[in-house]
Amino acid sequence: MRYLKAEDIQKALTQAICQISYESDPKAVERMRTAHEQSNHELERDVLGAILENNELAAIDNIPLCQDTGCTVIIAEMGRELVIEGATLQEIADRAAAEAQGKCPLRASISYDPLFRRKNSGNNSPAIVHIRQVEGKRLKLKIAQKGGGAENMSFLMMLSPATPLEKIKEQIVQRIVESGSRACPPLVVGIGIGGNFERCALLAKEALFEELGRKHPDEHYAALEQEILSMINKCGKGAQGMGGGLTALAVHVLHEACHIASLPIAVNLQCHAHRHVDIEL
Ligand code: SF4
C-alpha cells in the first residue's frame, strides 16, 4: 500500500486552485488569440482583445480572471492501493477551497442552502468531489473552478433512442445558441451521452476538461463533435454574444453504455474563463 498525507494533498490542491484562478487554459487562450488576429468582425475583435488583455493582466498580477471565481469541482481517480491519512478527500477538498479563497483571494461564491436561506458559506466550501476507484497507487485529480453563468445554461435531455441524429444535433445547438451571452462565450462544450440520468451529467462535466480540441478516438463521435462545433459557430453569436464566428472553442463528447430504452444526453457549458488543471500525486 502507499500512504499519502492529507496535508500534502491539500497543499497541492490549494496551489492548483490559485493557479487556475489566475491563468486560463493556454490552448483556449491560443484559439482566442488566433481568432482575434484573423477576424474581420470589428466587435468580435474588440471583445476578444478585451478578454485576451484581461487574461494577460490576471496572470501577471495574480488576480482572478473573473469576478465569478467559481466553485471548486474535483474529479478524482484514486488507486485502490492508496491510503489517504488524516482526512477524507471531500474534507481535504473543502479545506483547500477555503484556504485558496482566503489566500488568492477569491470571491466567496457558495451558498450553504440552495433554496430557503441562500446564506453564503463565506469560504467557498464545500467543493464538489467525484471519486472513481482505479488500479494502482496514484491519485489523479482533475480540478476546475467552474463559473455560475455557464453552469446555469447547461442542460440534460432524456431522449428516445429513436430520435434521429439530425434532431439531436439541432436540439443541442438550439439550446446553446439560445443561451446567447449568458454562458460567456466563446464556450467549451462538454457533451455526455449514455450512462443514465446522473452519469451523463458527470460525463459532460468531465468532457470539458479533455485536452482542448483533441480528436475523439471514435470516428463517429469525432465527426459529431466537428459538426456540432461548426453548427454553433455558424450561428453568428460570437464572443460574449456580440457577433462573429467564434461562439465555441471546442466540443468534446464522452460516451458510455446505457439502458436499451434510454438515450440520456447532458450538455455542460464552460465559459471563456476555462480554469482547470490535472495533477497527479
Ligand atoms: S460564466 Fe465564466 S466568464 Fe462568465 S461570469 Fe461566470 S466565471 Fe466569469
Side-chain angles (χ1 to χ4, degrees):
M1 297 300 280
R2 175 175 174 238
Y3 295 85
L4 204 52
K5 287 189 169 49
E7 52 265 37
D8 291 339
I9 303 171
Q10 184 181 329
K11 191 174 166 195
L13 261 177
T14 304
Q15 191 180 348
I17 293 169
C18 289
Q19 179 203 326
I20 58 177
S21 297
Y22 308 145
E23 293 171 31
S24 203
D25 180 323
K27 290 203 168 174
V29 176
E30 198 46 50
R31 289 216 165 178
M32 287 190 280
R33 186 167 291 122
T34 304
H36 179 247
E37 285 163 8
Q38 296 176 351
S39 175
N40 295 319
H41 192 289
E42 194 179 334
L43 208 43
E44 180 176 53
R45 275 203 315 276
D46 284 353
V47 174
L48 287 173
I51 292 172
L52 291 166
E53 186 184 3
N54 178 69
N55 283 2
E56 275 175 32
L57 293 174
I60 291 168
D61 295 339
N62 281 355
I63 48 175
L65 281 159
C66 184
Q67 46 77 30
D68 176 1
T69 54
C71 132
T72 302
V73 178
I74 295 171
I75 300 175
E77 284 187 1
M78 190 166 158
R80 68 181 179 85
E81 295 172 77
L82 177 73
V83 176
I84 297 176
E85 293 181 311
T88 66
L89 200 50
Q90 179 70 55
E91 289 167 334
I92 297 165
D94 292 348
R95 288 176 202 162
E99 189 182 5
Q101 191 271 327
K103 194 173 169 185
C104 295
L106 305 176
R107 185 185 76 177
S109 299
I110 303 299
S111 174
Y112 243 119
D113 182 288
L115 188 57
F116 294 107
R117 287 166 288 272
R118 298 296 300 186
K119 188 170 163 29
N120 197 308
S121 70
N123 64 6
N124 262 0
S125 76
I128 294 175
V129 181
H130 307 280
I131 302 172
R132 185 184 304 135
Q133 194 178 35
V134 295
E135 286 299 328
K137 301 179 177 182
R138 308 297 296 175
L139 179 65
K140 291 185 186 172
L141 302 171
K142 292 181 184 187
I143 306 154
Q145 287 299 117
K146 189 73 177 66
E151 196 73 0
N152 290 347
M153 293 297 110
S154 303
F155 53 94
L156 192 153
M157 307 181 289
M158 297 302 289
L159 298 178
S160 157
T163 312
L165 185 57
E166 288 308 312
K167 192 92 192 145
I168 294 171
K169 286 188 276 190
E170 273 170 29
Q171 286 192 39
I172 292 172
V173 172
Q174 187 186 353
R175 291 281 296 266
I176 294 171
V177 171
E178 279 173 3
S179 71
S181 63
R182 286 171 288 175
C184 295
L187 307 166
V188 181
V189 180
I191 304 179
I193 305 180
N196 63 359
F197 182 79
E198 78 276 8
R199 186 75 182 184
C200 74
L202 183 55
L203 287 173
K205 177 75 69 196
E206 204 162 357
L208 290 177
F209 309 120
E210 297 272 288
E211 184 186 349
L212 195 95
R214 61 91 178 97
K215 192 170 185 299
H216 199 289
D218 180 310
E219 59 180 320
H220 297 293
Y221 288 98
L224 181 66
E225 288 177 346
Q226 284 313 307
E227 280 175 62
I228 292 176
L229 179 62
S230 160
M231 287 167 78
I232 295 169
N233 282 334
K234 277 186 188 146
C235 76
K237 287 282 176 191
Q240 292 291 26
M242 303 299 271
L246 191 69
T247 308
L249 299 164
V251 174
H252 298 152
V253 175
L254 288 180
H255 63 98
E256 236 178 45
C258 68
H259 192 285
I260 52 170
S262 303
L263 177 52
I265 298 183
V267 178
N268 198 191
L269 298 182
Q270 171 76 315
C271 57
H272 61 77
H274 191 25
R275 299 168 294 196
H276 72 107
V277 72
D278 294 356
I279 63 171
E280 187 171 328
L281 295 158

